[in-house]
Amino acid sequence: MKIIKKFYPLILTILFSLSIFFFFKNDFKEIDFFDKFTFDIISAIIFLCFLYLITEALVLRNIVIFFKKNITLVESLALMTSTYLLNSFVQLSGLGFRVTYLKEKKSINIKSFLFLSISSIFCELFIFSFFGLATTFLIDLIAGVTLISKDIKLIFAFIALSSFIYLFLLIYFIENLKLLTKNFNLKLVDKLIEFLFFIKEKNLLLFHLKQLTIFSIQYIVVAILFVIILKFFSNENYFYNSLLTASLVDLSFIVNLTPFSLGISETFAYFGTRGTSLKIIEIIIAINSFRIGIILVSLIISPMYFLISNFIKK
């Protein structure tokens, strides 16, 4: 049982890949996948995956710098690529490695780090849900009819609004909460207020704005990647479909219940783009091209960095 738990991500990945090939092998032949997927397209995908990982590294670097600790972009990139590789095999092991590394090498408080990591996730949620919501209205406007369901719009709107409240209004709510509870002995509330005011003194708003800028760039990178892939299929309205798919796929990565959100990303994209001209085979190929590109880049950068670092130390 322990062996199954240890290797279930790898087993799940293999089963998922085999099921895709089995159920969609005729679709692969129909679109001449291996003939059309040229070296130029593969190179573009890998390059954009590299840029995506750079934005991830910048997000982590901002968190570390917030605590007035030094970390180079290369070191941050190595940490993020290691996180992706470890998470691909053992769930959440990448996060554990990253937290342990920063605690030992940078003397960063774990609770504070996790708090800023959560804040960064809310920045990501806001950017991708906001652009996703805008894209749904754009698609309907161009089509002249309602193609994207109201449920999808409501989900995007709820995530964007909730994230906005957390990022920009929560601290002021806490200020009022402090006034309301000053006559009560509520230890949990006091600790929360104390911690949030400590963070506020360090200018949390500026930190959020920096992270929002990086995630805006990240959205553009992911959108361009899907534009290239969906254009390869000669997909009708591939540009607008790519913008919507970029939001759905990135949001699915946050729901990290399976290795690299296997199956989850496909589900998000399938239900989110119903009503558009996207086919399931196009969604599967686009998302898995993104996944494979990130893994390939990570396989190069992470081992290389730590091997060179150990060699220099010796």
Side-chain angles (χ1 to χ4, degrees), residues 143-180:
V145 293
T146 302
L147 294 178
I148 309 300
S149 72
K150 290 180 180 178
D151 292 338
I152 299 300
K153 293 185 178 76
L154 285 172
I155 291 170
F156 276 137
F158 175 77
I159 294 172
L161 182 60
S162 302
S163 302
F164 180 84
I165 291 171
Y166 177 89
L167 293 171
F168 299 108
L169 301 178
L170 179 63
I171 196 70
Y172 301 105
F173 168 76
I174 296 298
E175 285 182 356
N176 292 322
L177 184 64
K178 185 178 182 181
L179 293 172
L180 290 171

mmCIF file of all heavy atoms in Angstrom, residues 143-180:
data_model
loop_
_atom_site.group_PDB
_atom_site.id
_atom_site.type_symbol
_atom_site.label_atom_id
_atom_site.label_comp_id
_atom_site.label_asym_id
_atom_site.label_seq_id
_atom_site.Cartn_x
_atom_site.Cartn_y
_atom_site.Cartn_z
ATOM 1 N N ALA A 143 -19.275 36.961 -31.464
ATOM 2 C CA ALA A 143 -20.210 35.996 -32.055
ATOM 3 C C ALA A 143 -21.599 36.595 -32.258
ATOM 4 O O ALA A 143 -22.361 36.156 -33.115
ATOM 5 C CB ALA A 143 -20.304 34.760 -31.165
ATOM 6 N N GLY A 144 -21.932 37.611 -31.463
ATOM 7 C CA GLY A 144 -23.253 38.224 -31.565
ATOM 8 C C GLY A 144 -24.322 37.460 -30.816
ATOM 9 O O GLY A 144 -25.490 37.846 -30.803
ATOM 10 N N VAL A 145 -23.908 36.344 -30.196
ATOM 11 C CA VAL A 145 -24.818 35.538 -29.377
ATOM 12 C C VAL A 145 -24.057 35.080 -28.131
ATOM 13 O O VAL A 145 -22.842 35.179 -28.063
ATOM 14 C CB VAL A 145 -25.333 34.285 -30.137
ATOM 15 C CG1 VAL A 145 -26.229 34.685 -31.289
ATOM 16 C CG2 VAL A 145 -24.159 33.439 -30.638
ATOM 17 N N THR A 146 -24.795 34.556 -27.149
ATOM 18 C CA THR A 146 -24.153 34.070 -25.926
ATOM 19 C C THR A 146 -23.630 32.658 -26.146
ATOM 20 O O THR A 146 -24.416 31.711 -26.281
ATOM 21 C CB THR A 146 -25.151 34.083 -24.743
ATOM 22 O OG1 THR A 146 -25.629 35.417 -24.562
ATOM 23 C CG2 THR A 146 -24.480 33.596 -23.471
ATOM 24 N N LEU A 147 -22.304 32.521 -26.190
ATOM 25 C CA LEU A 147 -21.674 31.207 -26.377
ATOM 26 C C LEU A 147 -21.206 30.617 -25.047
ATOM 27 O O LEU A 147 -21.299 29.421 -24.822
ATOM 28 C CB LEU A 147 -20.478 31.316 -27.328
ATOM 29 C CG LEU A 147 -20.783 31.690 -28.785
ATOM 30 C CD1 LEU A 147 -19.496 31.815 -29.581
ATOM 31 C CD2 LEU A 147 -21.697 30.650 -29.432
ATOM 32 N N ILE A 148 -20.656 31.478 -24.188
ATOM 33 C CA ILE A 148 -20.127 31.019 -22.902
ATOM 34 C C ILE A 148 -21.238 31.102 -21.857
ATOM 35 O O ILE A 148 -21.900 32.125 -21.718
ATOM 36 C CB ILE A 148 -18.922 31.869 -22.455
ATOM 37 C CG1 ILE A 148 -17.881 31.960 -23.579
ATOM 38 C CG2 ILE A 148 -18.305 31.301 -21.188
ATOM 39 C CD1 ILE A 148 -17.313 30.636 -24.019
ATOM 40 N N SER A 149 -21.417 30.022 -21.119
ATOM 41 C CA SER A 149 -22.525 29.962 -20.158
ATOM 42 C C SER A 149 -22.366 30.989 -19.041
ATOM 43 O O SER A 149 -21.261 31.400 -18.696
ATOM 44 C CB SER A 149 -22.608 28.553 -19.550
ATOM 45 O OG SER A 149 -21.538 28.333 -18.652
ATOM 46 N N LYS A 150 -23.503 31.357 -18.467
ATOM 47 C CA LYS A 150 -23.509 32.320 -17.359
ATOM 48 C C LYS A 150 -22.782 31.767 -16.141
ATOM 49 O O LYS A 150 -22.187 32.515 -15.362
ATOM 50 C CB LYS A 150 -24.948 32.683 -16.993
ATOM 51 C CG LYS A 150 -25.665 33.526 -18.042
ATOM 52 C CD LYS A 150 -27.083 33.849 -17.597
ATOM 53 C CE LYS A 150 -27.809 34.690 -18.648
ATOM 54 N NZ LYS A 150 -29.219 34.984 -18.237
ATOM 55 N N ASP A 151 -22.827 30.442 -15.968
ATOM 56 C CA ASP A 151 -22.154 29.816 -14.827
ATOM 57 C C ASP A 151 -20.654 30.077 -14.854
ATOM 58 O O ASP A 151 -20.040 30.374 -13.824
ATOM 59 C CB ASP A 151 -22.404 28.301 -14.822
ATOM 60 C CG ASP A 151 -23.860 27.965 -14.541
ATOM 61 O OD1 ASP A 151 -24.555 28.827 -13.957
ATOM 62 O OD2 ASP A 151 -24.296 26.859 -14.898
ATOM 63 N N ILE A 152 -20.063 29.954 -16.041
ATOM 64 C CA ILE A 152 -18.622 30.205 -16.183
ATOM 65 C C ILE A 152 -18.306 31.662 -15.870
ATOM 66 O O ILE A 152 -17.333 31.970 -15.162
ATOM 67 C CB ILE A 152 -18.145 29.853 -17.609
ATOM 68 C CG1 ILE A 152 -18.384 28.362 -17.917
ATOM 69 C CG2 ILE A 152 -16.667 30.202 -17.784
ATOM 70 C CD1 ILE A 152 -17.676 27.409 -16.993
ATOM 71 N N LYS A 153 -19.140 32.556 -16.375
ATOM 72 C CA LYS A 153 -18.942 33.989 -16.098
ATOM 73 C C LYS A 153 -19.051 34.273 -14.605
ATOM 74 O O LYS A 153 -18.258 35.039 -14.040
ATOM 75 C CB LYS A 153 -19.976 34.824 -16.862
ATOM 76 C CG LYS A 153 -19.826 34.811 -18.383
ATOM 77 C CD LYS A 153 -20.824 35.772 -19.001
ATOM 78 C CE LYS A 153 -20.688 35.830 -20.517
ATOM 79 N NZ LYS A 153 -21.266 34.653 -21.180
ATOM 80 N N LEU A 154 -20.026 33.666 -13.950
ATOM 81 C CA LEU A 154 -20.228 33.876 -12.519
ATOM 82 C C LEU A 154 -19.051 33.342 -11.701
ATOM 83 O O LEU A 154 -18.635 33.956 -10.715
ATOM 84 C CB LEU A 154 -21.523 33.205 -12.057
ATOM 85 C CG LEU A 154 -22.824 33.911 -12.454
ATOM 86 C CD1 LEU A 154 -24.035 33.045 -12.098
ATOM 87 C CD2 LEU A 154 -22.937 35.269 -11.748
ATOM 88 N N ILE A 155 -18.519 32.210 -12.110
ATOM 89 C CA ILE A 155 -17.355 31.631 -11.416
ATOM 90 C C ILE A 155 -16.157 32.559 -11.538
ATOM 91 O O ILE A 155 -15.474 32.851 -10.540
ATOM 92 C CB ILE A 155 -17.029 30.228 -11.970
ATOM 93 C CG1 ILE A 155 -18.129 29.238 -11.577
ATOM 94 C CG2 ILE A 155 -15.671 29.746 -11.451
ATOM 95 C CD1 ILE A 155 -18.025 27.902 -12.270
ATOM 96 N N PHE A 156 -15.883 33.024 -12.759
ATOM 97 C CA PHE A 156 -14.783 33.972 -12.974
ATOM 98 C C PHE A 156 -14.990 35.235 -12.132
ATOM 99 O O PHE A 156 -14.063 35.730 -11.494
ATOM 100 C CB PHE A 156 -14.682 34.352 -14.456
ATOM 101 C CG PHE A 156 -13.890 33.392 -15.288
ATOM 102 C CD1 PHE A 156 -14.342 32.999 -16.550
ATOM 103 C CD2 PHE A 156 -12.681 32.896 -14.848
ATOM 104 C CE1 PHE A 156 -13.606 32.123 -17.335
ATOM 105 C CE2 PHE A 156 -11.932 32.008 -15.629
ATOM 106 C CZ PHE A 156 -12.404 31.626 -16.868
ATOM 107 N N ALA A 157 -16.222 35.748 -12.152
ATOM 108 C CA ALA A 157 -16.531 36.988 -11.425
ATOM 109 C C ALA A 157 -16.357 36.795 -9.918
ATOM 110 O O ALA A 157 -15.808 37.667 -9.231
ATOM 111 C CB ALA A 157 -17.957 37.436 -11.737
ATOM 112 N N PHE A 158 -16.808 35.654 -9.405
ATOM 113 C CA PHE A 158 -16.687 35.371 -7.971
ATOM 114 C C PHE A 158 -15.227 35.280 -7.548
ATOM 115 O O PHE A 158 -14.828 35.846 -6.517
ATOM 116 C CB PHE A 158 -17.414 34.063 -7.634
ATOM 117 C CG PHE A 158 -17.241 33.631 -6.209
ATOM 118 C CD1 PHE A 158 -17.958 34.247 -5.193
ATOM 119 C CD2 PHE A 158 -16.340 32.625 -5.886
ATOM 120 C CE1 PHE A 158 -17.788 33.858 -3.866
ATOM 121 C CE2 PHE A 158 -16.160 32.233 -4.564
ATOM 122 C CZ PHE A 158 -16.889 32.853 -3.555
ATOM 123 N N ILE A 159 -14.418 34.580 -8.352
ATOM 124 C CA ILE A 159 -12.988 34.427 -8.024
ATOM 125 C C ILE A 159 -12.285 35.780 -8.077
ATOM 126 O O ILE A 159 -11.499 36.125 -7.185
ATOM 127 C CB ILE A 159 -12.305 33.439 -9.000
ATOM 128 C CG1 ILE A 159 -12.873 32.032 -8.810
ATOM 129 C CG2 ILE A 159 -10.792 33.423 -8.787
ATOM 130 C CD1 ILE A 159 -12.408 31.033 -9.849
ATOM 131 N N ALA A 160 -12.575 36.568 -9.120
ATOM 132 C CA ALA A 160 -11.942 37.886 -9.265
ATOM 133 C C ALA A 160 -12.318 38.812 -8.109
ATOM 134 O O ALA A 160 -11.457 39.485 -7.529
ATOM 135 C CB ALA A 160 -12.337 38.510 -10.602
ATOM 136 N N LEU A 161 -13.604 38.846 -7.758
ATOM 137 C CA LEU A 161 -14.082 39.725 -6.682
ATOM 138 C C LEU A 161 -13.517 39.294 -5.329
ATOM 139 O O LEU A 161 -13.066 40.135 -4.537
ATOM 140 C CB LEU A 161 -15.610 39.720 -6.647
ATOM 141 C CG LEU A 161 -16.260 40.632 -5.591
ATOM 142 C CD1 LEU A 161 -15.864 42.094 -5.815
ATOM 143 C CD2 LEU A 161 -17.781 40.478 -5.614
ATOM 144 N N SER A 162 -13.536 37.999 -5.058
ATOM 145 C CA SER A 162 -13.008 37.480 -3.792
ATOM 146 C C SER A 162 -11.523 37.791 -3.650
ATOM 147 O O SER A 162 -11.060 38.191 -2.571
ATOM 148 C CB SER A 162 -13.232 35.969 -3.699
ATOM 149 O OG SER A 162 -14.596 35.651 -3.798
ATOM 150 N N SER A 163 -10.794 37.616 -4.738
ATOM 151 C CA SER A 163 -9.351 37.885 -4.727
ATOM 152 C C SER A 163 -9.079 39.367 -4.504
ATOM 153 O O SER A 163 -8.174 39.737 -3.754
ATOM 154 C CB SER A 163 -8.717 37.436 -6.051
ATOM 155 O OG SER A 163 -8.951 36.066 -6.279
ATOM 156 N N PHE A 164 -9.871 40.210 -5.158
ATOM 157 C CA PHE A 164 -9.714 41.662 -4.999
ATOM 158 C C PHE A 164 -9.946 42.071 -3.542
ATOM 159 O O PHE A 164 -9.180 42.872 -2.990
ATOM 160 C CB PHE A 164 -10.695 42.393 -5.919
ATOM 161 C CG PHE A 164 -10.600 43.892 -5.827
ATOM 162 C CD1 PHE A 164 -9.646 44.579 -6.563
ATOM 163 C CD2 PHE A 164 -11.447 44.600 -4.981
ATOM 164 C CE1 PHE A 164 -9.549 45.969 -6.466
ATOM 165 C CE2 PHE A 164 -11.358 45.979 -4.880
ATOM 166 C CZ PHE A 164 -10.396 46.666 -5.623
ATOM 167 N N ILE A 165 -10.982 41.522 -2.944
ATOM 168 C CA ILE A 165 -11.293 41.837 -1.539
ATOM 169 C C ILE A 165 -10.138 41.423 -0.636
ATOM 170 O O ILE A 165 -9.717 42.168 0.249
ATOM 171 C CB ILE A 165 -12.602 41.151 -1.103
ATOM 172 C CG1 ILE A 165 -13.794 41.800 -1.823
ATOM 173 C CG2 ILE A 165 -12.791 41.221 0.408
ATOM 174 C CD1 ILE A 165 -15.101 41.059 -1.634
ATOM 175 N N TYR A 166 -9.615 40.213 -0.863
ATOM 176 C CA TYR A 166 -8.502 39.720 -0.046
ATOM 177 C C TYR A 166 -7.266 40.600 -0.205
ATOM 178 O O TYR A 166 -6.612 40.957 0.788
ATOM 179 C CB TYR A 166 -8.165 38.281 -0.434
ATOM 180 C CG TYR A 166 -6.972 37.726 0.326
ATOM 181 C CD1 TYR A 166 -7.146 37.087 1.556
ATOM 182 C CD2 TYR A 166 -5.675 37.858 -0.184
ATOM 183 C CE1 TYR A 166 -6.065 36.592 2.257
ATOM 184 C CE2 TYR A 166 -4.589 37.368 0.521
ATOM 185 C CZ TYR A 166 -4.783 36.741 1.734
ATOM 186 O OH TYR A 166 -3.702 36.259 2.441
ATOM 187 N N LEU A 167 -6.953 40.970 -1.433
ATOM 188 C CA LEU A 167 -5.713 41.687 -1.723
ATOM 189 C C LEU A 167 -5.739 43.144 -1.270
ATOM 190 O O LEU A 167 -4.725 43.674 -0.803
ATOM 191 C CB LEU A 167 -5.413 41.638 -3.226
ATOM 192 C CG LEU A 167 -5.079 40.260 -3.802
ATOM 193 C CD1 LEU A 167 -5.023 40.315 -5.324
ATOM 194 C CD2 LEU A 167 -3.777 39.730 -3.239
ATOM 195 N N PHE A 168 -6.896 43.795 -1.384
ATOM 196 C CA PHE A 168 -6.929 45.240 -1.181
ATOM 197 C C PHE A 168 -7.826 45.727 -0.044
ATOM 198 O O PHE A 168 -7.681 46.861 0.408
ATOM 199 C CB PHE A 168 -7.358 45.935 -2.484
ATOM 200 C CG PHE A 168 -6.419 45.670 -3.622
ATOM 201 C CD1 PHE A 168 -6.783 44.832 -4.664
ATOM 202 C CD2 PHE A 168 -5.161 46.248 -3.646
ATOM 203 C CE1 PHE A 168 -5.914 44.581 -5.713
ATOM 204 C CE2 PHE A 168 -4.287 46.004 -4.695
ATOM 205 C CZ PHE A 168 -4.660 45.170 -5.729
ATOM 206 N N LEU A 169 -8.756 44.891 0.410
ATOM 207 C CA LEU A 169 -9.700 45.357 1.425
ATOM 208 C C LEU A 169 -9.589 44.630 2.768
ATOM 209 O O LEU A 169 -10.072 45.126 3.773
ATOM 210 C CB LEU A 169 -11.137 45.216 0.903
ATOM 211 C CG LEU A 169 -11.459 45.980 -0.398
ATOM 212 C CD1 LEU A 169 -12.895 45.722 -0.818
ATOM 213 C CD2 LEU A 169 -11.206 47.471 -0.239
ATOM 214 N N LEU A 170 -8.949 43.465 2.791
ATOM 215 C CA LEU A 170 -8.890 42.666 4.013
ATOM 216 C C LEU A 170 -8.200 43.404 5.157
ATOM 217 O O LEU A 170 -8.672 43.392 6.293
ATOM 218 C CB LEU A 170 -8.166 41.342 3.746
ATOM 219 C CG LEU A 170 -8.014 40.420 4.971
ATOM 220 C CD1 LEU A 170 -9.382 39.979 5.482
ATOM 221 C CD2 LEU A 170 -7.157 39.208 4.628
ATOM 222 N N ILE A 171 -7.103 44.067 4.857
ATOM 223 C CA ILE A 171 -6.334 44.730 5.909
ATOM 224 C C ILE A 171 -7.153 45.825 6.592
ATOM 225 O O ILE A 171 -7.033 46.062 7.789
ATOM 226 C CB ILE A 171 -5.012 45.292 5.336
ATOM 227 C CG1 ILE A 171 -4.036 45.631 6.484
ATOM 228 C CG2 ILE A 171 -5.242 46.500 4.457
ATOM 229 C CD1 ILE A 171 -3.501 44.435 7.191
ATOM 230 N N TYR A 172 -8.014 46.477 5.807
ATOM 231 C CA TYR A 172 -8.860 47.537 6.388
ATOM 232 C C TYR A 172 -10.007 46.934 7.197
ATOM 233 O O TYR A 172 -10.464 47.512 8.189
ATOM 234 C CB TYR A 172 -9.384 48.442 5.272
ATOM 235 C CG TYR A 172 -8.257 49.074 4.508
ATOM 236 C CD1 TYR A 172 -7.909 48.631 3.231
ATOM 237 C CD2 TYR A 172 -7.498 50.098 5.077
ATOM 238 C CE1 TYR A 172 -6.850 49.192 2.544
ATOM 239 C CE2 TYR A 172 -6.433 50.666 4.396
ATOM 240 C CZ TYR A 172 -6.109 50.210 3.124
ATOM 241 O OH TYR A 172 -5.053 50.756 2.462
ATOM 242 N N PHE A 173 -10.459 45.763 6.779
ATOM 243 C CA PHE A 173 -11.454 45.036 7.571
ATOM 244 C C PHE A 173 -10.854 44.637 8.914
ATOM 245 O O PHE A 173 -11.511 44.726 9.958
ATOM 246 C CB PHE A 173 -11.923 43.793 6.809
ATOM 247 C CG PHE A 173 -12.729 42.844 7.651
ATOM 248 C CD1 PHE A 173 -14.041 43.111 7.973
ATOM 249 C CD2 PHE A 173 -12.143 41.671 8.130
ATOM 250 C CE1 PHE A 173 -14.782 42.242 8.760
ATOM 251 C CE2 PHE A 173 -12.876 40.793 8.915
ATOM 252 C CZ PHE A 173 -14.202 41.083 9.224
ATOM 253 N N ILE A 174 -9.596 44.208 8.892
ATOM 254 C CA ILE A 174 -8.903 43.821 10.122
ATOM 255 C C ILE A 174 -8.746 45.015 11.055
ATOM 256 O O ILE A 174 -8.860 44.893 12.281
ATOM 257 C CB ILE A 174 -7.527 43.204 9.803
ATOM 258 C CG1 ILE A 174 -7.697 41.898 9.023
ATOM 259 C CG2 ILE A 174 -6.724 42.954 11.065
ATOM 260 C CD1 ILE A 174 -8.440 40.820 9.777
ATOM 261 N N GLU A 175 -8.497 46.200 10.495
ATOM 262 C CA GLU A 175 -8.387 47.414 11.309
ATOM 263 C C GLU A 175 -9.685 47.658 12.084
ATOM 264 O O GLU A 175 -9.677 47.964 13.281
ATOM 265 C CB GLU A 175 -8.079 48.620 10.423
ATOM 266 C CG GLU A 175 -6.654 48.671 9.938
ATOM 267 C CD GLU A 175 -6.385 49.906 9.092
ATOM 268 O OE1 GLU A 175 -7.329 50.670 8.825
ATOM 269 O OE2 GLU A 175 -5.232 50.098 8.705
ATOM 270 N N ASN A 176 -10.811 47.530 11.394
ATOM 271 C CA ASN A 176 -12.119 47.721 12.038
ATOM 272 C C ASN A 176 -12.405 46.612 13.043
ATOM 273 O O ASN A 176 -13.013 46.844 14.102
ATOM 274 C CB ASN A 176 -13.236 47.761 10.991
ATOM 275 C CG ASN A 176 -13.144 49.006 10.123
ATOM 276 O OD1 ASN A 176 -12.805 50.081 10.612
ATOM 277 N ND2 ASN A 176 -13.425 48.857 8.841
ATOM 278 N N LEU A 177 -11.936 45.406 12.722
ATOM 279 C CA LEU A 177 -12.116 44.272 13.621
ATOM 280 C C LEU A 177 -11.358 44.503 14.929
ATOM 281 O O LEU A 177 -11.834 44.150 16.010
ATOM 282 C CB LEU A 177 -11.626 42.986 12.951
ATOM 283 C CG LEU A 177 -11.842 41.680 13.727
ATOM 284 C CD1 LEU A 177 -13.342 41.405 13.887
ATOM 285 C CD2 LEU A 177 -11.166 40.516 12.999
ATOM 286 N N LYS A 178 -10.203 45.123 14.808
ATOM 287 C CA LYS A 178 -9.400 45.435 15.991
ATOM 288 C C LYS A 178 -10.165 46.386 16.925
ATOM 289 O O LYS A 178 -10.152 46.224 18.153
ATOM 290 C CB LYS A 178 -8.075 46.052 15.575
ATOM 291 C CG LYS A 178 -7.130 46.305 16.741
ATOM 292 C CD LYS A 178 -5.801 46.873 16.257
ATOM 293 C CE LYS A 178 -4.849 47.062 17.445
ATOM 294 N NZ LYS A 178 -3.552 47.631 17.007
ATOM 295 N N LEU A 179 -10.827 47.360 16.335
ATOM 296 C CA LEU A 179 -11.602 48.324 17.137
ATOM 297 C C LEU A 179 -12.804 47.649 17.802
ATOM 298 O O LEU A 179 -13.142 47.940 18.948
ATOM 299 C CB LEU A 179 -12.085 49.472 16.248
ATOM 300 C CG LEU A 179 -10.991 50.396 15.678
ATOM 301 C CD1 LEU A 179 -11.597 51.363 14.669
ATOM 302 C CD2 LEU A 179 -10.287 51.162 16.797
ATOM 303 N N LEU A 180 -13.425 46.726 17.057
ATOM 304 C CA LEU A 180 -14.625 46.063 17.573
ATOM 305 C C LEU A 180 -14.302 45.078 18.697
ATOM 306 O O LEU A 180 -15.119 44.850 19.588
ATOM 307 C CB LEU A 180 -15.340 45.325 16.434
ATOM 308 C CG LEU A 180 -16.024 46.203 15.373
ATOM 309 C CD1 LEU A 180 -16.494 45.342 14.208
ATOM 310 C CD2 LEU A 180 -17.209 46.946 15.989
#
